[in-house]
Structure formats: C-alpha cells, structure tokens
Amino acid sequence: MPEGDTVWQAARRLHVALAGRVLTRSDLRVPRFATADLTGRTVLDVTPHGKHLLARIEGGLTLHSHLKMDGSWKVFANGRRWTGGPSHQIRAILGNTDLTAVGYRLPVLELMRTADEQRVVGHLGPDLLGPDWDPEQALANLLADPARPLGEALLDQRNLAGIGNVYKSELCFLLGVTPWLPVGALPADRAAKLPELAKRLLEANRERPVRTTTGSRGQDLFVYGRAPRPCLRCRTSIRVAEQGDGSRERPTYWCPHCQTGPAPSASRSSRTPRRTTN
C-alpha cells in the first residue's frame, strides 16, 4: 500500500535511474498523451510530494503520476525481462541507453507544464518527507475541524501529506486513542507530539524495504492487518472496522484496551478485514 515513505523510495529509484540522462525511449499509454514524445529530452529530477511523483523533464515539462493502491514504477536494466505485471497494465515507459522505468497500473498519469505543478499538489498540506514540512501548520490543519474523527483527518492530504491507512492506524495506537476520537478531544500533550511522531515514523521507514513501527523484527506493526491476533502490548484481540466519510471506507485497526475513545459497536466491527480500494 503506497504511502509517503513508499512514494519517496519510488522517486529515489527513478531519480537514480533517469536524472541527468537523455531519454531514448518514451511511451505514455493513456489516450490523452499517447502521441507525446519525450525522446531526446533530459530528465532533470524526480521528486515526491506526499503521495505524488513529479518527474521534471527538459523543456519545462513534468510527468505527474500517483500510485494510489496498486500502481508501481519498476526500473530494469535494458535487455532484462520486465516483471511488474502483464503488458496491458503498463501505462508509461521512460528509458535511456542503460535503464528503463516502467509504470504499471498508474491510475493517474499526466504530462503538464512544470509551471503548472501547483494545480495537482498545491492543495496538499505540509509534506512529512518534503522541504516544506511545517509541524505547526500540520497541527493547525488537523485541529481546524475539531469534530472530525482523527483517522479521517489524518488521511486528508490537505492537512498533512503522506499518511495512508497503515500509518493512520499505527499513529492512533501510539497515541493511545481510537481513530474515531474527534480531533478536538485529543489531549493537548498528545496533539502536540502528533506531527513529529508521524514524521519520525515515515523518516524511519523511507530507507527500509519492510515497513515497521514497532522496532521489533518479525512483528513489524502494532495493529494494522493484525486482527484478530493479540495486541503486542496487552494481548487483547485486535479489532478491525471500516472507517470513512461515506464516499470511501477503509479497514481500520485498533486495540480496544490500549486505545481510548469511541469505536464501532461489536456488531458493526469485525475480526476479519474486508478488501477495500484506495
């Protein structure tokens, strides 16, 4: 599940493979940009912004992509077989004389003027892994709607950019509150440390192949994906229920003993998660 750390890793792989190199192959397999030809242009850099990827290309162009749930970018040495999925799932190909980057199942892919990047990322809150990180602004954004459930507020990229469903559940556990607690009811001391706690989690994982929040190998996460196994702290069974704003529901995990605050009743929650889309 791509979150800020995953997107940061993807951007770094693409930057190492493409930046400073002239494109010798270009194929954008989406109808609007199918005739665009980027060959002969130099890739300047590849930068993450929250969950967005911005590949800046000579001539004032940016290739913008978003991975959402299932998208991925793979890099292959030329001549090596591509293994990211069937060919009909390929949405973009960018190659130079040595390496080829292949974008699979990209739900968002658009070529735009670099000067227009704010159109797709300007609405985002401070980026947890970016140079614009501002913990005070992030907290102010979260607290602006005090009645909103904390889990929903954390997923809103307009508040702070980079948190997905995994970090939402893990952050709420580490703060000792349920994802259904209204943001305004979060104790002041825990609210104050929330932005930097989120930043530390993403920074700690941006270099790791396997995401972990526990620091314990083999038990990587406290609650996400662990229902109905016992809580690592108190041994109570982890629970799961769907949370969302009515338009999009996501499986949300919590420990009913370690986390205080409102939660779905036993009849509405489940011990086995259902698959959802992002």
Side-chain angles (χ1 to χ4, degrees), residues 1-14 46-53 65-74 127-129 161-167 201-212 278:
M1 179 181 296
E3 303 196 20
D5 52 348
T6 309
V7 175
W8 188 92
Q9 292 173 7
R12 183 175 64 173
R13 288 194 300 271
L14 291 173
V46 182
T47 300
H49 195 119
K51 298 181 182 182
H52 298 254
L53 281 163
S65 59
H66 195 300
L67 305 181
K68 292 193 179 287
M69 280 290 286
D70 299 317
S72 68
W73 279 96
K74 304 287 187 180
D127 183 353
L128 283 153
L129 296 178
I163 291 177
N165 212 33
V166 176
Y167 283 118
L201 287 180
L202 266 72
E203 282 189 333
N205 283 290
R206 66 182 180 182
E207 304 279 357
R208 291 173 175 161
V210 177
R211 180 184 294 143
T212 180
N278 197 358

Side-chain angles (χ1 to χ4, degrees), residues 93-154:
I93 302 171
L94 298 175
N96 53 47
T97 55
D98 298 310
L99 299 166
T100 301
V102 185
Y104 289 89
R105 300 171 298 279
L106 300 174
V108 176
L109 183 71
E110 58 180 327
L111 187 64
M112 63 174 59
R113 287 164 43 90
T114 300
D116 295 334
E117 285 181 359
Q118 286 302 298
R119 176 173 62 80
V120 294
V121 298
H123 67 288
L124 300 176
D127 183 353
L128 283 153
L129 296 178
D132 70 329
W133 173 241
D134 183 340
E136 294 182 359
Q137 184 61 56
L139 183 57
N141 292 346
L142 288 168
L143 296 176
D145 186 356
R148 192 175 192 186
L150 177 59
E152 291 182 25
L154 288 172

